[in-house]
Structure formats: structure tokens, C-alpha cells
Amino acid sequence: MRRPLVMGNWKLNGNKTMVAELIKGLEAELNGVEGVDVAIAPPVMYLDLAEQLLGKAESKIILGAQNVDVNLSGAFTGDISPDMLKDFGATHIIIGHSERREYHEESDEFVAKKFAFLKENGLVPVLCIGESDAQNEAGETVAVCARQLDAVINTQGVEALNGAVIAYEPIWAIGTGKAATADDAQRIHAAIRAHIAEKSEEVAKNVVIQYGGSVKPENAEAYFAQPDIDGALVGGAALIADSFAAIAKAAAKAKN
Ligand code: 13P
């Protein structure tokens, strides 16, 4: 059985007050909610504060981050290593987000390198894949996702996906309010799983595949009702405690 994972990607948002209030709100809202893993990825600047607050609350919320470098230490100005993330209790690390692919020109190969580096260092990669609007219009969605996944599979073997998380995020649905329909998302998730199954049915069966792109409390239930959608990677709605908690609760309800 795959355990659902609802993760909040806070992106470049927040300050100390907001971090404290959001975590306090989440603790209250998620009290007693079982059957779903809930993770947050604040800006790296606030990991220390988040770790302290989660620790004080004896929280079950998993701490994550939004990026990692491919070096452990040395002359790499501005970068953050897996060891540093671990030092602050972060375990689930988002890589390959379309915003990093676009604004930082991260290639499939570079993202795959990050994937390998996270695994080597005992962290969980949350690998984002997904197509642009133009690729969607051209019917290239599955091919794009397969190519992005193959960058990992062809260099590290399909088994590398064991214990990792895949987040399917159509770029045209991110922050636009124009979410994929639950049926369309299910179709793509099934195709992604089938692509992995060509190499290993076992890995395909066990890997968690999240949907991301304008997930809100209003549409979350429809996604989680789909057999191949195992949770969500949430942007905007993850910045509001009751919205994010409602999405996590919808996953707990639908998957148990
Ligand atoms: P939104 O939920 O704001 O569309 O963002 C999705 C996302 O990019 C999560 O990584």
C-alpha cells in the first residue's frame, strides 16, 4: 500500500512570524489526523526555526526543503549541501521543480545528479516532472514526463526510484488556478506508472506519485479519489493553515 503524502512547497514566501503562525495553525488543524504523511518545505533560511517549532510541538509533520546542491562542501558560494539539510532535520527535498528548471536552467541531467546525490546521502528526493502549455497542446505530455524520469532511470537504474517521490506538475497548472481535471491527471499518472513498470512492476507499484498545480481544498478530494494519485505537492494553498490541512485531511479520508 502506498501511503499518501501531502507536501507544502512554500517557495519564496514567509518571514519568522509567518513561519511560527503557519506551523502553529497546522499543528492545531492536523491534530489527530492519521493515514497521511504531511510535509512542509519552507525557504531554507527558516529550516532552523521550523525544526525548533516542530520539535517543541512533538510534531509528526515532516520537514523538507526546496533545493540542494550537488556538492558536500567547498568553494560553492550560495549553495546548500545534503548534510546541512540533514543538520536541520529536513528529509524530503524537492528537486527539478519547473521554476528551477526555467529560472536556473537546470537540465534533466543536472536534476538527475541531484537525485543521485540526495539518495547517496540518505535523503528523499521529491522529483518534479511535468510539461509546458505548448507541450501539452502538442500532445507531448507523457513523452516529456518519460524523458525527465529516464534521466534518473537510465543513469541510476529504476530501483533508484524506491523510496523516492515523484510529483507530476503540469507547468500550465502551477499558480494559475487552471488545474488539470482529476481524470486527465489520473491518465497521466497511470502513464507515468506504466512507464516505470516497463522496467519494474514492483517499483511502479510502490512509488508515490503526487499531483501538483493549483490544488485547493475544493478540488483535492477529486484527485485523491483517483487510484494513481497518491497525494499532492501544494504551492499557494500551503501558505494558509486551514487550506493546507483540509487538503491533507482529504487525502487521509480518500486513501484509508
Ligand atoms: P500552486 O499550488 O500554487 O499551483 O503551486 C504548485 C507547485 O508548484 C508546488 O510545487
Side-chain angles (χ1 to χ4, degrees):
M1 259 313 273
R2 299 187 296 269
R3 190 172 160 84
L5 171 66
V6 172
M7 182 161 187
N9 175 7
W10 293 8
K11 306 191 181 183
L12 206 170
N13 293 291
N15 53 44
K16 285 189 208 170
T17 308
M18 179 270 209
V19 172
E21 280 173 5
L22 189 44
I23 288 180
K24 192 169 154 212
L26 288 176
E27 284 303 326
E29 295 273 350
L30 292 170
N31 191 16
V33 176
E34 303 283 346
V36 59
D37 286 333
V38 179
I40 56 171
V44 74
M45 199 76 182
Y46 297 109
L47 282 181
D48 186 15
L49 176 58
E51 186 195 27
Q52 287 179 40
L53 293 168
L54 294 175
K56 232 180 267 169
E58 294 181 9
S59 179
K60 285 190 293 189
I61 294 174
I62 296 166
L63 195 53
Q66 302 172 21
N67 188 26
V68 69
D69 186 39
V70 293
N71 295 289
L72 268 188
S73 64
F76 302 101
T77 302
D79 282 323
I80 302 287
S81 76
D83 281 354
M84 291 172 182
L85 297 173
K86 278 196 280 195
D87 214 9
F88 289 94
T91 57
H92 288 52
I93 317 301
I94 298 168
I95 53 169
H97 194 285
S98 57
E99 287 149 16
R100 291 210 62 88
R101 290 180 192 262
E102 183 181 352
Y103 307 138
H104 300 271
E105 297 181 4
E106 294 194 3
S107 65
D108 293 346
E109 291 67 34
F110 188 57
V111 173
K113 207 167 159 186
K114 290 187 177 190
F115 188 104
F117 201 51
L118 286 173
K119 293 221 67 167
E120 260 169 50
N121 287 285
L123 291 166
V124 178
V126 178
L127 172 66
C128 299
I129 59 175
E131 84 289 3
S132 68
D133 203 9
Q135 289 165 332
N136 181 43
E137 292 291 323
E140 293 168 3
T141 298
V142 175
V144 169
C145 292
R147 189 199 74 214
Q148 292 172 335
L149 272 179
D150 284 347
V152 171
I153 295 173
N154 293 341
T155 52
Q156 298 154 52
V158 70
E159 315 289 333
L161 295 175
N162 276 329
V165 175
I166 296 167
Y168 168 60
E169 298 204 309
I171 298 169
W172 47 270
I174 295 175
T176 57
K178 193 178 129 195
T181 66
D183 283 350
D184 282 347
Q186 163 58 27
R187 192 168 44 78
I188 305 306
H189 279 234
I192 292 168
R193 211 179 288 286
H195 181 74
I196 299 167
E198 285 171 18
K199 296 275 167 26
S200 166
E201 288 193 10
E202 193 60 20
V203 174
K205 195 176 74 181
N206 292 320
V207 71
V208 167
I209 309 179
Q210 301 174 303
Y211 169 77
S214 297
V215 177
K216 307 277 177 248
E218 300 74 39
N219 60 17
E221 214 174 313
Y223 291 120
F224 302 145
Q226 306 296 329
D228 287 296
I229 301 182
D230 308 318
L233 186 57
V234 186
L239 300 173
I240 305 159
D242 58 356
S243 293
F244 186 60
I247 295 168
K249 285 177 196 167
K253 189 167 154 227
K255 298 294 182 188
N256 292 282

